[in-house]
Amino acid sequence: MGMRWACAPAPKYLSCAQNGIVEAANPGQLRLFNIQDMGPLMTDNFTFETTIKNEFDDGSNACHNVQLLIECKNDVIFLPLSAPSCAGDLALYFCGWRAESKSADLSGFGCDLKRWTTVRVETVNKQAKIYINGRKVYALTFTNEATGIVGCNTSLMARRR
């Protein structure tokens, strides 16, 4: 799934670097959406890859949380990312399949989001593998019916308590 964020015109709180990277000065909470007709792209067989960074650093964002949502017609895929020290409070949702770090090992979703971080999802016949910076951090098989993918939503936010 190839997606690009539109840089122009950018709202006043965003800036667009010459290389097309969207930057926010003080996001607190920033959501970027790309929703459109993806044609025959379905949840049971697809590859998604994005590279993100969350440098916003103050007391309310010590965990550098990022939420990646792959939005579907009748379902959703929710991938949580945080600093390694905050990975004990995450939840993963993938087309009806759910795991929480309180009862499953989601430590691989803890990463240094102050640096560019690549997230890749490969799904073949409802068997998904999730990679962070080239390392497989989770594998699962989901049971929900396959549905069309319509886009993605990337949220950078301060941790809610």
Side-chain angles (χ1 to χ4, degrees), residues 52-55 63-66 81-84 109 111-117:
I52 55 175
K53 178 167 53 167
N54 183 355
E55 290 181 310
C63 290
H64 298 272
N65 290 333
V66 173
L81 301 170
S82 73
F109 291 92
C111 49
D112 183 1
L113 290 157
K114 291 182 186 181
R115 298 176 185 252
W116 285 110
T117 302

Side-chain angles (χ1 to χ4, degrees), residues 17-77:
Q18 190 172 13
N19 60 3
I21 295 172
V22 178
E23 297 178 351
N26 185 354
Q29 183 170 8
L30 173 67
R31 293 179 188 260
L32 300 172
F33 294 87
N34 187 340
I35 308 297
Q36 60 184 302
D37 181 3
M38 299 283 177
L41 192 59
M42 300 288 284
T43 55
D44 58 343
N45 290 291
F46 75 97
T47 299
F48 168 85
E49 185 172 301
T50 190
T51 302
I52 55 175
K53 178 167 53 167
N54 183 355
E55 290 181 310
F56 183 61
D57 201 15
D58 75 0
S60 66
N61 198 38
C63 290
H64 298 272
N65 290 333
V66 173
Q67 299 171 347
L68 295 173
L69 279 79
I70 299 174
E71 307 222 15
C72 311
K73 292 180 181 176
N74 300 314
D75 221 331
V76 68
I77 297 166

